[in-house]
Amino acid sequence: MSCVDVPRSLSSARRALRRGWSAGVVVALCLLLVVPAWADDEKARKGFDFGGKDGEPTKKGATKSTPKKGAGSAPVGDDPISQNIARLRTWPDRKATRAAENLFLAGKESVPYLIRTLKAGDPAVQAGAAWVLGKVGDSVHVQVILGAAARRTNASRAEVFFNAAYGLDPQETKDWLISFLTLSSKPVFRQKAADFLADKVGASDRHRITQLLDSEKAAVRIAGLTLLAPAAVDDVDERLVQGLSDLSPSVAHAAARLLAKRASAQLIQRLNAYAREAGARERAYAIVALVETARANVSNPFEEETV
């Protein structure tokens, strides 16, 4: 935290005092906020492996998405399919939507063109191409669509690609996106993938979600914590409380914020116990969780014994 943030923290403390909170809680909060965040002690790992020359990510046992011989080498020219793909540049306006409809009506004939466009075509037409392939393609094309999404700068229009792939094969799409959460060099893409998965994951994805918590990368562990509740993992609260002990400040803060969103009476009681009796790190982040709970519910969750 920079020096500029300290006055803001003190201002928050003064507001807390006006609400009647104990000076002891305020001091503890201020101490937490002004402690410099330390760097995560993580081993350097290679970036995500996109596999073959076409940029598709690899996954053991996955079905290859390479089209049949000659399928990806459709000629570029004045043929109707190429012209319609070029018109996708302004997607999703009326002109581009009409072009997409024409490609849809062309059916399987347009698939090789769409594959080539998503692998090495103009990024401006790829969102529209992904939408069409999501309508006329097969589950084998999930990899093509998501591979194109992962290569885009700042993950622009990622949701279009995600929805197109999901329409072809929901489980395959979830499997690939969960794998993509380990991307170290694409934080925006990882966040958009996690946001998309939030209302898609379920019981079948629990094991893979909990595996994210064992990652050496703090951002991946945060993604895992975020998806615990959507995946209906049985011991969500317990895993989030454990997150308060994470060596990464960003992960511990994320766990505190997620706990605040789940603030049942039983959980608030446990956080108060942590704030009184746990180790120094856990006490500090338990207080953060309680403060976040107070902000969300406009009430004081601190027990008398805690303050």
Side-chain angles (χ1 to χ4, degrees):
M1 171 169 294
S2 67
C3 294
V4 175
D5 293 324
V6 174
R8 298 175 183 171
S9 302
L10 295 177
S11 176
S12 297
R14 286 194 295 270
R15 288 196 297 271
L17 282 173
R18 286 198 294 270
R19 292 179 182 178
W21 292 5
S22 164
V25 174
V26 176
V27 171
L29 177 59
C30 291
L31 287 175
L32 170 65
L33 293 172
V34 299
V35 172
W38 54 90
D40 295 337
D41 182 18
E42 299 179 339
K43 296 180 180 179
R45 299 180 69 182
K46 294 182 179 180
F48 190 84
D49 178 15
F50 280 98
K53 64 180 181 179
D54 292 317
E56 295 179 11
T58 58
K59 186 175 69 171
K60 186 176 180 180
T63 303
K64 297 296 182 182
S65 63
T66 305
K68 295 180 180 180
K69 184 177 181 181
S73 57
V76 177
D78 296 331
D79 57 281
I81 292 180
S82 294
Q83 291 177 351
N84 279 306
I85 287 179
R87 296 187 186 107
L88 294 175
R89 173 179 291 274
T90 56
W91 176 267
D93 71 2
R94 181 179 299 180
K95 178 181 178 181
T97 301
R98 186 174 301 168
E101 292 172 352
N102 292 335
L103 291 166
F104 174 77
L105 292 174
K108 296 298 182 182
E109 184 182 353
S110 65
V111 169
Y113 295 79
L114 296 168
I115 291 174
R116 187 200 57 225
T117 298
L118 289 170
K119 287 184 174 182
D122 182 356
V125 303
Q126 287 181 340
W131 184 89
V132 178
L133 188 57
K135 302 297 182 184
V136 301
D138 301 304
S139 60
V140 72
H141 299 125
V142 166
Q143 299 173 2
V144 177
I145 294 172
L146 295 182
R151 292 190 295 272
R152 292 176 70 80
T153 303
N154 294 327
S156 60
R157 296 187 176 181
E159 297 80 3
V160 175
F161 293 80
F162 297 163
N163 281 308
Y166 195 80
L168 293 176
D169 191 324
Q171 189 58 51
E172 184 75 1
T173 300
K174 289 191 293 181
D175 287 345
W176 277 99
L177 287 180
I178 292 173
S179 296
F180 281 149
L181 293 177
T182 63
L183 286 168
S184 60
S185 59
K186 296 181 178 291
V188 177
F189 179 87
R190 180 176 54 243
Q191 183 60 55
K192 288 189 175 183
D195 291 343
F196 179 81
L197 287 167
D199 63 350
K200 303 289 191 301
V201 294
S204 62
D205 309 301
R206 290 173 185 170
H207 178 64
R208 299 197 65 196
I209 296 300
T210 55
Q211 282 184 321
L212 297 174
L213 302 180
D214 297 325
S215 173
E216 294 179 345
K217 302 173 184 176
V220 177
R221 297 199 296 278
I222 291 174
L225 290 173
T226 303
L227 293 174
L228 285 175
V233 175
D234 294 333
D235 54 348
V236 176
D237 290 347
E238 179 62 31
R239 290 179 181 273
L240 291 176
V241 170
Q242 291 175 2
L244 299 177
S245 305
D246 199 284
L247 294 179
S248 166
S250 59
V251 175
H253 268 113
R257 290 193 297 269
L258 290 167
L259 283 166
K261 293 179 180 180
R262 298 175 57 82
S264 63
Q266 183 178 0
L267 186 54
I268 288 175
Q269 184 178 10
R270 185 172 183 185
L271 288 172
N272 273 279
Y274 250 62
R276 295 191 302 266
E277 303 164 5
R281 286 181 55 80
E282 291 81 358
R283 289 201 307 271
Y285 289 110
I287 291 175
V288 170
L290 290 169
V291 170
E292 292 292 339
T293 300
R295 290 174 177 171
N297 301 319
V298 195
S299 62
N300 182 5
F302 288 91
E303 296 174 353
E304 185 176 351
E305 295 84 355
T306 303
V307 299

